[in-house]
Amino acid sequence: MDLRARLTPAFEECFGTLPTFIVRAPGRVNLIGEHTDYNDGFVLPMAIDRAVWIALRRRRDRQVIVHSLDFDAFAAFSLDQLQSKGLGWIEYLRGIAWALQKAGYALTGWEGVMVGDVPIGAGLSSSAATELAAARAFIAVSELEWDAVKMAPLAQKAENEWVGVNCGIMDQMASAAARAGHALFLDCRSLTFEHIPLPAGLSVVVLDTATRRGLLDSAYNERRQQCESAARFFGVRALRDVDMRTFEARGGQLEPLTCRRARHVIRENEHVTRAVAALRGGDLETLGRLLVASHASLRDDFEVSSQALNIMVKIACQQPGCFGARMTGAGFGGCAVALVHAEKVQDFAICVAKKYAQQTDLTPNVYICQAVEGAGLLLSS
Ligand code: GLA
């Protein structure tokens, strides 16, 4: 049964009536532009056909009561007493309430049922999907106006300051503002974006290595600090402001590790703008080569890949019909993304899964993804 079909009966069972609103916010996969968002750079994600859904109705008081079907649990909080209770799925909703209220939004209480199919911890932004679904729910029930570009930074603030994960803006913007059939070419400084059409003959395949790394947060924060120190060396606000010529002229004076980190970011920003040009021109061969170059840079200069990711990317690139592949998301495990000729994609999925399992003894997950619309309101009665 699809998720939406599960929501209404579950809501009726919990609350005895039909829901008034149904909202949905998707996960994302990043096609190219990795570890550039917190350097004020460029990214090219798309929203995927895996999402978090909430069915809800307004309450007269200031309580928020939510039943998570995935965790088979109820949680509740009052909008007048927001205190973090540590970890857990409800913190994403509580954090959104906190960020919206802090920004001056007058919120209403609600009760609802939540369900999702974005794999958790795989690097497909189940957190951003939960945050944006919660934001969409609050805005709908409180009769406020939805503005994706205002919501995404508030969701990021909830994740940074409430949940305590130091992410950039990419995931929230993709979940909030993506368009069906398009990738989102986003300038992470100005938050201006363009929707770039994805050609019909191109399939986007997410390849989950079935590996996760525990110390991801500390490695991520360390990379951020290295990038900030490189930006200070160049005397700019962020590495976005350094071009390849400047880097080549002065980068050699940086300490070698910081130099490599900076080189990745500067090069990766170029990869994104070239990838957008390739997509616009229908040049999928060039696009594929840019993905491969991005992977090499993440592996060798930024050092956020892993053996499992490298094996997955290598296998993917060897299959007929594959234009290119690379690790996607923060790295150290999680998923790779491959761009594949649509006619070859079924065989591709089967072969990659088989070869990866043979070489690693791990069972991967393969998702052939559609580019979907960002956070939305699907029922309002
Ligand atoms: C994680 C973060 C994003 C971004 C990527 C790396 O997914 O949540 O903001 O920094 O890593 O590109």
mmCIF file of all heavy atoms in Angstrom, residues 28 34-35 37-38 167-168 170-171 220 329-330, ligand 1:
data_model
loop_
_atom_site.group_PDB
_atom_site.id
_atom_site.type_symbol
_atom_site.label_atom_id
_atom_site.label_comp_id
_atom_site.label_asym_id
_atom_site.label_seq_id
_atom_site.Cartn_x
_atom_site.Cartn_y
_atom_site.Cartn_z
ATOM 1 N N ARG A 28 16.204 13.810 -0.700
ATOM 2 C CA ARG A 28 16.906 14.320 -1.887
ATOM 3 C C ARG A 28 18.142 13.477 -2.195
ATOM 4 O O ARG A 28 18.681 12.791 -1.323
ATOM 5 C CB ARG A 28 17.331 15.782 -1.687
ATOM 6 C CG ARG A 28 18.374 16.031 -0.585
ATOM 7 C CD ARG A 28 19.806 16.039 -1.101
ATOM 8 N NE ARG A 28 20.790 16.075 -0.040
ATOM 9 C CZ ARG A 28 21.358 15.008 0.476
ATOM 10 N NH1 ARG A 28 21.019 13.815 0.066
ATOM 11 N NH2 ARG A 28 22.277 15.127 1.426
ATOM 12 N N GLU A 34 29.391 18.680 -3.968
ATOM 13 C CA GLU A 34 29.422 18.080 -2.629
ATOM 14 C C GLU A 34 30.392 18.837 -1.730
ATOM 15 O O GLU A 34 31.508 19.148 -2.133
ATOM 16 C CB GLU A 34 29.838 16.616 -2.764
ATOM 17 C CG GLU A 34 29.139 15.696 -1.810
ATOM 18 C CD GLU A 34 27.630 15.654 -2.032
ATOM 19 O OE1 GLU A 34 27.186 14.907 -2.916
ATOM 20 O OE2 GLU A 34 26.901 16.374 -1.310
ATOM 21 N N HIS A 35 29.928 19.107 -0.517
ATOM 22 C CA HIS A 35 30.687 19.884 0.466
ATOM 23 C C HIS A 35 30.979 21.298 -0.045
ATOM 24 O O HIS A 35 32.000 21.902 0.281
ATOM 25 C CB HIS A 35 31.978 19.146 0.879
ATOM 26 C CG HIS A 35 31.690 17.928 1.700
ATOM 27 N ND1 HIS A 35 31.503 17.975 3.065
ATOM 28 C CD2 HIS A 35 31.506 16.629 1.351
ATOM 29 C CE1 HIS A 35 31.240 16.747 3.516
ATOM 30 N NE2 HIS A 35 31.224 15.918 2.492
ATOM 31 N N ASP A 37 28.072 23.483 -0.104
ATOM 32 C CA ASP A 37 26.984 24.360 0.405
ATOM 33 C C ASP A 37 27.446 25.238 1.569
ATOM 34 O O ASP A 37 27.161 26.425 1.610
ATOM 35 C CB ASP A 37 25.694 23.581 0.722
ATOM 36 C CG ASP A 37 25.780 22.556 1.835
ATOM 37 O OD1 ASP A 37 26.893 22.246 2.297
ATOM 38 O OD2 ASP A 37 24.700 22.045 2.249
ATOM 39 N N TYR A 38 28.215 24.666 2.497
ATOM 40 C CA TYR A 38 28.667 25.477 3.637
ATOM 41 C C TYR A 38 29.864 26.363 3.267
ATOM 42 O O TYR A 38 30.399 27.061 4.116
ATOM 43 C CB TYR A 38 28.959 24.601 4.870
ATOM 44 C CG TYR A 38 29.915 23.449 4.628
ATOM 45 C CD1 TYR A 38 31.282 23.654 4.618
ATOM 46 C CD2 TYR A 38 29.430 22.164 4.416
ATOM 47 C CE1 TYR A 38 32.159 22.602 4.403
ATOM 48 C CE2 TYR A 38 30.295 21.106 4.208
ATOM 49 C CZ TYR A 38 31.653 21.333 4.203
ATOM 50 O OH TYR A 38 32.513 20.288 3.986
ATOM 51 N N CYS A 167 24.613 21.008 9.630
ATOM 52 C CA CYS A 167 24.536 20.812 8.179
ATOM 53 C C CYS A 167 24.482 22.149 7.452
ATOM 54 O O CYS A 167 24.258 23.188 8.062
ATOM 55 C CB CYS A 167 23.296 19.999 7.832
ATOM 56 S SG CYS A 167 21.769 20.842 8.294
ATOM 57 N N GLY A 168 24.670 22.108 6.136
ATOM 58 C CA GLY A 168 24.511 23.302 5.305
ATOM 59 C C GLY A 168 23.045 23.461 4.894
ATOM 60 O O GLY A 168 22.157 22.869 5.513
ATOM 61 N N MET A 170 21.751 22.820 1.706
ATOM 62 C CA MET A 170 21.322 22.076 0.505
ATOM 63 C C MET A 170 20.095 21.204 0.727
ATOM 64 O O MET A 170 19.137 21.250 -0.067
ATOM 65 C CB MET A 170 22.462 21.195 0.001
ATOM 66 C CG MET A 170 22.007 20.194 -1.043
ATOM 67 S SD MET A 170 23.328 19.349 -1.859
ATOM 68 C CE MET A 170 24.023 18.361 -0.560
ATOM 69 N N ASP A 171 20.111 20.369 1.771
ATOM 70 C CA ASP A 171 19.065 19.349 1.920
ATOM 71 C C ASP A 171 17.702 20.006 2.116
ATOM 72 O O ASP A 171 16.706 19.599 1.524
ATOM 73 C CB ASP A 171 19.374 18.439 3.120
ATOM 74 C CG ASP A 171 20.798 17.911 3.095
ATOM 75 O OD1 ASP A 171 21.426 17.960 2.020
ATOM 76 O OD2 ASP A 171 21.278 17.466 4.152
ATOM 77 N N TYR A 220 32.839 15.757 9.537
ATOM 78 C CA TYR A 220 32.161 16.831 8.793
ATOM 79 C C TYR A 220 32.568 18.188 9.361
ATOM 80 O O TYR A 220 32.943 19.101 8.616
ATOM 81 C CB TYR A 220 30.653 16.610 8.904
ATOM 82 C CG TYR A 220 29.787 17.551 8.087
ATOM 83 C CD1 TYR A 220 29.488 17.286 6.763
ATOM 84 C CD2 TYR A 220 29.243 18.696 8.671
ATOM 85 C CE1 TYR A 220 28.664 18.131 6.022
ATOM 86 C CE2 TYR A 220 28.424 19.549 7.940
ATOM 87 C CZ TYR A 220 28.136 19.257 6.616
ATOM 88 O OH TYR A 220 27.323 20.101 5.898
ATOM 89 N N GLY A 329 26.176 13.048 -0.928
ATOM 90 C CA GLY A 329 25.924 13.368 0.483
ATOM 91 C C GLY A 329 27.238 13.577 1.218
ATOM 92 O O GLY A 329 28.297 13.753 0.605
ATOM 93 N N ALA A 330 27.176 13.513 2.531
ATOM 94 C CA ALA A 330 28.351 13.841 3.335
ATOM 95 C C ALA A 330 29.508 12.867 3.127
ATOM 96 O O ALA A 330 30.675 13.244 3.209
ATOM 97 C CB ALA A 330 27.966 13.890 4.809
HETATM 98 C C1 GLA B 1 25.302 16.680 4.269
HETATM 99 C C2 GLA B 1 24.805 18.041 4.730
HETATM 100 C C3 GLA B 1 24.667 18.994 3.544
HETATM 101 C C4 GLA B 1 25.950 19.022 2.718
HETATM 102 C C5 GLA B 1 26.403 17.602 2.381
HETATM 103 C C6 GLA B 1 27.729 17.577 1.680
HETATM 104 O O1 GLA B 1 24.326 16.069 3.469
HETATM 105 O O2 GLA B 1 23.556 17.907 5.371
HETATM 106 O O3 GLA B 1 24.332 20.277 4.000
HETATM 107 O O4 GLA B 1 26.956 19.739 3.373
HETATM 108 O O5 GLA B 1 26.512 16.815 3.556
HETATM 109 O O6 GLA B 1 27.617 18.146 0.419
#
